[in-house]
Amino acid sequence: MISATPPLKIGVFSDPHFLSPELMDGGKALQDYQHSIGRNIEKLPEILDATLDELINQQIDVLLIPGDLTLNGERQSHLDLREKLLPLLTRGIKVCVVPGNHDIHIPSPVGFRGNERYAVESITPEEFERIYAESGYNTALYKDTYSLSYVTDIGDNIWLLGIDACLYKEYQESSITAGRISTETEAWITGILQQATENNKKVIGMMHHGLVEHIMYQSRIFPQYLVDDWQRLAEKFADLGMKFIFTGHFHSHDITAYETKAGNTIYDIETSSLQSYPFPYRIIEIEGEVMNIWTHHINVIPSEPELLSNGKENLQQWLERFIRRTLSSKYPVPEEMLNEITEIGTEIVVLHIEGDEKISDELLERIKSMFRKIDIPVDINAETLQLDFPPADNNVSLPF
């Protein structure tokens, strides 16, 4: 009896922002930094261990990590992360990474000791490729000579195209959040996609920066989280045959479909940061003409049984501080209105981070009331206030 070929099973997590335990001691300097950025640096090693254990138990074939592997490019963090990936590699799981804006040439990476921060080493692009040689680069069929982009075969006639759009060559006093694909790298990508078509290969992309908008007006409000010239590139890549690209960077859990003028569709599958609520990873199964996507969460770690609920509370508190501080520094908003905008804004952002945003009737009425109070004549409803672009974000089947 001939058994059917099992589906290709892929795991994805993004933006772990891993800091080596050797570079932190839980002191005041670390606690203050965690409070300022609203992320769980101290718990991430345990969260990462739990995620990798679950991925091994899920018997994945491939693991994708779309960048921001480390907190701020610390050499020791990269080395320790490589060690954490070894159990997957020794089991024959193919691991593929690309850099994020926090991984290479960071001007002033630090460790945390007691009340102080201290300087540590960063890495170069060449070191990144050497450290992660077994995570995509040594198995590459083709490499771009202008960036750390590469192509590798992940099975079932599927090529993974890892795209490096980070601007670390331009870093001076700090890292740059925005991303750009150079003219040379774009030409290389074009050639790869054309070659894939000629060889009957399907191409899945992976890039740190978003390729398409995931919220209304993202290109106006948060342009640095989309790759430069995103709309033209999305049209081009989709029309050249790329149907899926896995991204991170924006720390939200969202899938958006973009249809080109020629009628081709590309799905940008963004995965939220593993370092903060809701601590997600994805499992993807590709079988025949279908891609099935499921979302899982790390709910518990040994040192924190209430990780998920505590993580949500920490996120909400940080968002409230951030929104309030941002508004009050730019606009003379009365205290009562400031409180209302902060509460609504926090609720909306948490919904987007979780994915599959649903506007409740109560939330919609609060938004309408807020607009009336600030004398903005906007006729909105659940359809016009589009918090979530299709398709579903957490669990969905897509045509492959």
Side-chain angles (χ1 to χ4, degrees):
M1 180 177 179
I2 300 175
S3 60
T5 302
L8 181 68
K9 199 168 187 179
I10 302 171
V12 182
F13 65 82
S14 190
D15 296 71
H17 291 278
F18 176 77
L19 180 66
S20 167
E22 292 187 26
L23 304 180
M24 56 179 169
D25 64 0
K28 185 177 184 301
L30 178 66
Q31 299 307 322
D32 288 348
Y33 185 67
Q34 288 188 138
H35 182 78
S36 70
I37 65 171
R39 298 205 298 271
N40 212 326
I41 301 166
E42 194 173 9
K43 302 292 185 182
L44 191 277
E46 282 186 80
I47 296 167
L48 180 59
D49 288 343
T51 305
L52 295 174
D53 285 346
E54 290 193 13
L55 289 168
I56 289 171
N57 291 335
Q58 291 270 6
Q59 298 183 320
I60 61 170
D61 301 298
V62 183
L63 170 63
L64 308 182
I65 313 176
D68 277 359
L69 310 176
T70 60
L71 182 62
N72 277 305
E74 311 84 10
R75 187 172 189 275
Q76 191 61 52
S77 298
H78 282 296
L79 294 174
D80 287 1
L81 179 58
R82 179 180 65 183
E83 291 299 310
K84 286 186 174 293
L85 296 174
L86 280 179
L88 283 76
L89 294 167
T90 57
R91 286 170 170 80
I93 297 170
K94 191 178 183 99
V95 178
C96 300
V97 307
V98 290
N101 58 298
H102 281 269
D103 288 326
I104 297 171
H105 269 326
I106 305 300
S108 302
V110 299
F112 301 87
R113 184 189 300 121
N115 296 334
E116 298 178 349
R117 303 182 188 188
Y118 62 96
V120 300
E121 291 182 88
S122 184
I123 64 167
T124 65
E126 294 76 18
E127 287 175 307
F128 184 92
E129 185 172 344
R130 284 199 298 271
I131 290 170
Y132 297 105
E134 301 304 320
S135 297
Y137 292 98
N138 271 5
T139 60
L141 301 172
Y142 308 100
K143 295 180 185 179
D144 178 34
T145 57
Y146 294 93
S147 72
L148 287 170
S149 304
Y150 65 93
V151 176
T152 187
D153 192 320
I154 60 173
D156 291 355
N157 288 314
I158 299 170
W159 283 358
L160 175 77
L161 171 57
I163 301 173
D164 170 19
C166 298
L167 301 177
Y168 45 79
K169 295 175 185 177
E170 301 175 23
Y171 292 0
Q172 294 182 16
E173 295 182 359
S174 65
S175 61
I176 298 172
T177 303
R180 180 175 63 247
I181 297 175
S182 69
T183 302
E184 295 85 357
T185 296
E186 182 182 339
W188 177 81
I189 292 170
T190 300
I192 291 296
L193 294 175
Q194 291 170 338
Q195 186 174 347
T197 299
E198 293 167 3
N199 289 277
N200 295 314
K201 302 289 185 181
K202 292 186 176 181
V203 177
I204 292 174
M206 176 171 65
M207 179 172 64
H208 186 59
H209 296 79
L211 182 64
V212 305
E213 287 185 307
H214 288 270
I215 58 172
M216 294 174 67
Y217 312 119
Q218 184 177 5
S219 59
R220 299 183 197 175
I221 306 171
F222 302 109
Q224 68 273 34
Y225 292 94
L226 295 168
V227 70
D228 285 1
D229 208 6
W230 65 273
Q231 198 159 12
R232 181 185 64 81
L233 290 172
E235 291 267 343
K236 182 174 186 176
F237 293 171
D239 289 344
L240 285 170
M242 186 191 294
K243 291 185 177 180
F244 303 92
I245 186 164
F246 290 90
T247 64
H249 196 33
F250 199 48
H251 290 200
S252 293
H253 210 65
D254 190 85
I255 304 176
T256 295
Y258 179 91
E259 185 174 344
T260 72
K261 298 178 183 67
N264 298 304
T265 298
I266 187 167
Y267 296 90
D268 185 325
I269 303 168
E270 177 188 57
T271 301
S272 187
S273 173
L274 189 64
Q275 194 185 67
S276 59
Y277 175 83
F279 313 105
Y281 68 90
R282 295 187 187 272
I283 294 291
I284 292 93
E285 286 191 358
I286 299 173
E287 187 168 20
E289 302 299 313
V290 177
M291 174 186 281
N292 293 307
I293 301 174
W294 295 276
T295 294
H296 300 257
H297 303 97
I298 302 301
N299 301 314
V300 175
I301 55 175
S303 68
E304 193 160 353
E306 303 297 327
L307 178 70
L308 202 64
S309 58
N310 289 343
K312 184 171 186 176
E313 183 178 348
N314 290 338
L315 174 65
Q316 289 171 326
Q317 290 174 355
W318 180 82
L319 283 169
E320 288 170 0
R321 294 194 303 270
F322 175 78
I323 294 171
R324 174 179 291 275
R325 184 173 64 247
T326 302
L327 284 174
S328 59
S329 67
K330 294 182 178 180
Y331 309 103
V333 182
E335 184 66 21
E336 183 179 347
M337 179 56 62
L338 183 62
N339 291 337
E340 189 170 357
I341 295 173
T342 297
E343 289 175 7
I344 292 172
T346 297
E347 186 170 344
I348 290 173
V349 173
V350 170
L351 286 173
H352 183 57
I353 288 172
E354 292 173 332
D356 295 323
E357 304 93 302
K358 297 289 188 298
I359 306 175
S360 67
D361 291 341
E362 185 266 342
L363 176 58
L364 185 61
E365 286 306 313
R366 285 164 58 203
I367 294 171
K368 288 180 178 179
S369 172
M370 180 182 68
F371 280 137
R372 286 194 294 268
K373 288 177 182 177
I374 56 181
D375 199 26
I376 297 180
V378 178
D379 182 21
I380 59 171
N381 55 47
E383 284 70 42
T384 57
L385 186 64
Q386 193 174 11
L387 289 187
D388 190 24
F389 298 147
D393 300 325
N394 284 292
N395 305 301
V396 65
S397 294
L398 302 173
F400 189 74

